[in-house]
Amino acid sequence: MSVGMRSQLVARGNDLRRARFLLRTRGVVVFVGASGIGKTAVCDALSAEWRSQGGRSFEVRGSHGLSSVPFGALALSLRVEPKDSQAGTVAELAATLNGTPPALVVVDDAHLLDAQSAAVVGGLAQTDGVSLAIATTSGEATPADITSIWARWPECRLELDPLTRDEVDEMMTAFIGRPLHGSLVDETWTLTLGYPLYVAAVAAELSDQVRGLDQPQIESVKQLRSASDRLISLMERRFARLDREERRLFDVIAFAESVPVAQFADEEANLFRLDEKGLIRVVDGRARVAHPLLGSVARDTSTPDGQRASAHRLLDALAQGEPEDVYNAVQRALRVGATPDIESLRTAAEVALRWRDYAGVIRISSLAPEDPLLVVLHARASRFIGEIPGGDVPVDLDDASLTEYLSATSQALAYSERRFSDAIEFLQEGMAGVVETPNRERLALELMVLSGLVGDMDALLGAARTVAGHDDLNTRLLAISATQLAEALTLTTSTSDETYSRGLSLAGSGDVEGMLVEQLEMSRVMVDLAEGAFVKGRARAAAFGERTLVGSWLTIESVIADA
């Protein structure tokens, strides 16, 4: 931790002691206060202390750039796979974090979390075995899942107050390394309102002038006070003292908010200097902006061309990095009008789909509408948001990609828009272009389900015959039962004896599910009914008796009785 970051913990001893107590007893503490009041520094101190005692520490940070991206904060930080429900995701994450050594999750800028990430954080707060240190800015709209934490446990909310005049004096002395003239402290306290981040900025401004604490220095603070917007101008002055390469690297880190150090190995010297100056911090192999406000000011003072340049540098550096980092970089690059290369787009779209950012998948894939993988990912994402890919089936897809495309689009037609007949027709036409047997069988199984739902027996019969030779015995027996049922309901029973014989052969192997054997017999009863063999059907039903699915047999028996 740099001198500047340590000095920002001045007068926070009571807050830290209270936070430690809450983490031990409640497992959660929430720091609330204005921007620059010291929330990040206190959370960083707790995290460093936790790791020094052998624990594991993880950081989640809300951001403007990802606040509308589902699971955007968690995808970059914790990287747990989302489940079918929020409760399932919380349980999965809790299982990952729970254990030895104990885990602390630090959530900074919680008011900027996307709704899904906030819901998971709120769920973790109610989970044993995981500790949470949360920081949120007062006066900002905060997700209900975060505010509900202190609504449930009011004692867990800690308000951080500005520093007193004496505490500003102590902090300045700790930062610069020697006592300061009283009038200089007074001016600093007046200028900074006692906000530690402001005080650190003033200290950095004066750190090169520690000799001869005379009137000109006091005047320099007065000039800052009169000519600045306080924090923004002070931060800009700090950035102005960076050399070109340092500022270039800092802009990239500020743009991304967090980068893996391994991907910036050739920038080691600049990373060290930025860390020493308190602008970034390097923890667990990642470099982060030391405070969210530093990143905000850096981005706000960068030109559009500069931001696009940072986006391309980031994408280049992460080309061989983790998929989640590429996803983060692509999302941010698109927001500033920078177009990533095709490999980055593919990686980002795959991560977006995994994290259920379906709108993100569609946005990313639309940048390369001819790329086979992105065409498939677009179709799969469309299935979940009710959008049907327009146009003809892409002709340049390989067999596996075509299968994925047909599957996703037919599901979107059927389950999103309830256009089952269109979905069946789409699958039937598309399957003509699928060559490889496993792919054809996969689509045929889906066609069996769709046609069975709407009673399209002709489609069911054709699909069932397609998978009759499937390698999996259970799948094959299911197809045979469906074929036999379709034969009965379409009154095409000329081949029913052969179908039944093949089913009995599989059933006798002993390697199939008993329920599928029952389905074979039920479908055979339907054939008996279709052929007018009512006595045979009744006898077959009676032979199974209590060993069968009662409801299904009752239905068949009622049909026989009516007959």
Side-chain angles (χ1 to χ4, degrees):
M1 186 183 297
S2 66
V3 173
M5 292 302 293
R6 287 197 302 270
S7 67
Q8 291 185 51
L9 296 176
V10 166
R12 297 304 184 202
N14 287 336
D15 296 312
L16 285 169
R17 282 189 287 274
R18 178 65 179 166
R20 295 185 193 105
F21 173 77
L22 288 170
L23 288 177
R24 286 196 306 272
T25 58
R26 288 291 189 190
V28 60
V29 58
V30 183
F31 297 104
V32 181
S35 295
I37 204 70
K39 305 183 298 294
T40 298
V42 172
C43 284
D44 288 346
L46 287 173
S47 180
E49 184 178 276
W50 192 277
R51 289 194 302 272
S52 71
Q53 296 172 354
R56 296 172 294 153
S57 178
F58 304 88
E59 181 180 278
V60 176
R61 177 176 285 182
S63 68
H64 289 286
L66 296 179
S67 60
S68 61
V69 176
F71 295 107
L74 293 184
L76 183 61
S77 304
L78 297 180
R79 302 181 181 182
V80 66
E81 294 294 329
K83 302 303 177 184
D84 292 336
S85 65
Q86 294 286 11
T89 303
V90 172
E92 173 75 10
L93 185 54
T96 301
L97 297 174
N98 206 343
T100 304
L104 171 68
V105 179
V106 175
V107 185
D108 203 358
D109 273 355
H111 59 287
L112 294 178
L113 289 177
D114 59 274
Q116 290 81 359
S117 292
V120 173
V121 170
L124 286 178
Q126 303 177 54
T127 302
D128 293 333
V130 180
S131 297
L132 282 168
I134 302 171
T136 188
T137 298
S138 55
E140 298 285 350
T142 302
D145 288 295
I146 302 301
T147 60
S148 65
I149 295 174
W150 68 73
R152 182 173 184 177
W153 302 298
E155 70 276 14
C156 292
R157 174 184 166 122
L158 297 185
E159 290 271 0
L160 295 186
D161 298 320
L163 304 181
T164 65
R165 188 267 184 201
D166 289 342
E167 290 166 347
V168 169
D169 186 5
E170 183 181 352
M171 181 175 171
M172 292 285 285
T173 301
F175 194 106
I176 295 178
R178 58 182 296 179
L180 302 179
H181 192 282
S183 56
L184 183 57
V185 175
D186 291 337
E187 287 292 341
T188 302
W189 185 45
T190 302
L191 169 66
T192 63
L193 305 177
Y195 285 24
L197 188 63
Y198 291 32
V199 176
V202 172
E205 183 69 20
L206 299 177
S207 60
D208 294 333
Q209 307 173 18
V210 294
R211 297 180 184 177
L213 302 178
D214 52 12
Q215 191 65 22
Q217 287 188 359
I218 299 174
E219 289 299 327
S220 69
V221 178
K222 289 181 177 179
Q223 290 169 8
L224 284 175
R225 179 183 178 187
S226 62
S228 74
D229 221 9
R230 286 195 174 88
L231 184 63
I232 292 178
S233 292
L234 292 173
M235 294 301 168
E236 290 175 351
R237 288 170 180 266
R238 294 181 71 179
F239 299 153
R241 289 196 293 272
L242 299 175
D243 65 33
R244 180 179 179 182
E245 291 305 312
E246 290 172 346
R247 178 60 195 264
R248 174 181 174 274
L249 177 59
F250 182 75
D251 282 345
V252 172
I253 298 173
F255 180 79
E257 297 192 27
S258 172
V259 300
V261 174
Q263 306 305 124
F264 291 85
D266 57 342
E267 298 268 17
E268 183 178 359
N270 289 327
L271 286 169
F272 177 79
R273 286 193 292 270
L274 291 172
D275 186 51
E276 279 294 294
K277 293 175 181 179
L279 295 174
I280 68 168
R281 56 190 178 86
V282 179
V283 179
D284 294 334
R286 299 191 70 86
R288 294 179 171 86
V289 177
H291 192 282
L293 282 175
L294 288 168
S296 296
V297 174
R299 291 189 295 272
D300 291 343
T301 56
S302 179
T303 65
D305 286 342
Q307 291 188 14
R308 284 190 287 272
S310 292
H312 286 299
R313 292 185 190 113
L314 179 65
L315 289 165
D316 290 343
L318 299 177
Q320 305 302 319
E322 293 292 327
E324 289 80 5
D325 284 310
V326 177
Y327 167 74
N328 173 54
V330 168
Q331 291 281 13
R332 295 175 187 276
L334 295 180
R335 282 176 168 77
V336 299
T339 303
D341 62 84
I342 191 65
E343 288 301 327
S344 295
L345 290 175
R346 289 172 177 169
T347 300
E350 288 177 325
V351 174
L353 185 65
R354 195 165 71 244
W355 282 90
R356 300 177 188 165
D357 177 15
Y358 304 123
V361 176
I362 292 173
R363 182 172 62 254
I364 292 167
S365 59
S366 66
L367 297 174
E370 304 301 323
D371 182 75
L373 175 60
L374 292 177
V375 166
V376 171
L377 295 177
H378 184 288
R380 293 176 65 187
S382 298
R383 179 257 185 272
F384 292 100
I385 63 175
E387 178 182 309
I388 309 301
D392 298 328
V393 176
V395 297
D396 56 347
L397 298 180
D398 61 30
D399 212 65
S401 297
L402 177 59
T403 301
E404 290 285 351
Y405 180 84
L406 293 171
S407 173
T409 303
S410 63
Q411 288 181 43
L413 284 167
Y415 303 119
S416 297
E417 296 197 355
R418 302 297 176 185
R419 294 163 53 188
F420 287 95
S421 296
D422 290 341
I424 290 171
E425 182 179 354
F426 181 81
L427 268 183
Q428 287 175 323
E429 292 179 356
M431 285 174 62
V434 177
V435 177
E436 297 178 9
T437 299
N439 293 328
R440 288 184 58 81
E441 290 178 341
R442 172 187 162 180
L443 294 176
L445 284 170
E446 295 185 15
L447 184 56
M448 283 175 57
V449 174
L450 292 177
S451 55
L453 287 173
V454 296
D456 187 337
M457 292 299 108
D458 289 331
L460 178 63
L461 183 59
R465 286 172 174 167
T466 299
V467 295
H470 198 282
D471 290 339
D472 181 72
L473 296 184
N474 286 305
T475 301
R476 194 185 306 174
L477 184 56
L478 174 63
I480 289 173
S481 298
T483 299
Q484 191 168 240
L485 178 63
E487 289 171 338
L489 296 179
T490 58
L491 302 180
T492 55
T493 60
S494 59
T495 58
S496 60
D497 287 340
E498 179 187 346
T499 303
Y500 184 54
S501 177
R502 287 189 289 116
L504 287 178
S505 176
L506 285 177
S509 69
D511 295 326
V512 295
E513 296 288 341
M515 184 179 68
L516 294 177
V517 177
E518 293 171 7
Q519 289 179 346
L520 174 70
E521 293 299 327
M522 283 189 282
S523 63
R524 182 60 186 181
V525 170
M526 297 303 292
V527 171
D528 291 338
L529 296 180
E531 294 180 335
F534 304 124
V535 174
K536 184 185 296 185
R538 184 179 290 109
R540 195 187 305 278
F544 263 71
E546 295 299 323
R547 293 185 294 129
T548 61
L549 301 175
V550 176
S552 300
W553 281 112
L554 286 176
T555 301
I556 292 176
E557 288 175 347
S558 67
V559 173
I560 294 176
D562 289 342

